[in-house]
Amino acid sequence: MGGLTYFDFLAKFGVGGAHPGGIHLTQNILSQENISEKSVILDAGCGTGQTAAYLYQQYRANVFGIEINPIMVEKAKSRFQTLQLPISLIQGSIEEVPFADNTFDFILSESVLAFVNKPKALQEFYRVLKKGGRLLANEMTMNRLVSDQEAAEIMNFYAVDSLLLEKDWENYLKSAGFQNIKIEEQNFPLSHGNQTPEFNFSTDFDPELFHILNEHGNIVIKYQDTLSYRIITATK
Ligand SMILES: C[S@@+](CC[C@H](N)C(=O)[O-])C[C@H]1O[C@@H](n2cnc3c(N)ncnc32)[C@H](O)[C@@H]1O
């Protein structure tokens, strides 16, 4: 892949709502929580900022974003500026969250935890959440184990060091100290994609990124019975 990754594709295509179910599933998950203009919320790995923008527009909440990819940061900033949204965005890693203990009422991780050091990031999420604060995540999850060769193909594409089953997520969350852990499967399969994709293309992009897009489609179809996602919620 010439050194380019799936994340280079997401960043250069400026994919908004780059998680299964897109913004509609996000809205549905948020509507089940007690969010108000008093809520302090971190969109962890916020990408181009679609969800962060919605959190302000819908709830007038105090919204913060953290994102590691500079192209994503630039596109999220431009979204917030254009829409004149008072959202604070920091370039950084969710493995070392640059906020004080007990800061947030909610942390959202929409397809981000799966791609990082999970114990490290979960420990950080737990630290910066207030007591009673909620973690809301939408993360890649295997329906069952696959062969070593199949696992290698998926891990190589997404550049991850592990593929988690539901019980693995549960164990990680428990080890980090979370309570009231719920892990829910959705009816909507990964292979249906995001029904309302949003793009903010960079003008300079390597045509190789189209191969990555194709490869992603192939992986999703090939593993449609095993490679899935779960909505994970938990309380500090
Ligand atoms: C699949 S995308 C999802 C983006 C966004 N949450 C959304 O739903 O549109 C994953 C995002 O996580 C970001 N990311 C990956 N590792 C990260 C880290 N360690 N800290 C912060 N962001 C990270 C990537 O740059 C990318 O924007």
Side-chain angles (χ1 to χ4, degrees), residues 7 10 17-19 45 47 67-69 72 92-94 110-112 116:
F7 286 108
L10 290 178
H19 56 264
E67 168 57 54
I68 204 165
N69 183 302
M72 288 294 203
S93 173
I94 65 165
E110 297 187 292
S111 300
V112 188
V116 304

Side-chain angles (χ1 to χ4, degrees), residues 6-7 10-11 15-20 22 26 43-51 66-70 72-73 79 90-96 108-113 115-117 121 138 158 194:
Y6 178 57
F7 286 108
L10 290 178
V15 180
H19 56 264
T26 302
D43 189 353
C46 65
T48 69
Q50 189 186 52
T51 294
I66 181 168
E67 168 57 54
I68 204 165
N69 183 302
M72 288 294 203
V73 169
R79 180 199 299 272
I90 291 175
Q91 185 176 359
S93 173
I94 65 165
E95 294 175 6
E96 270 173 74
L108 262 102
S109 167
E110 297 187 292
S111 300
V112 188
L113 270 174
F115 303 102
V116 304
N117 180 320
N138 175 341
Y158 288 113
N194 177 350

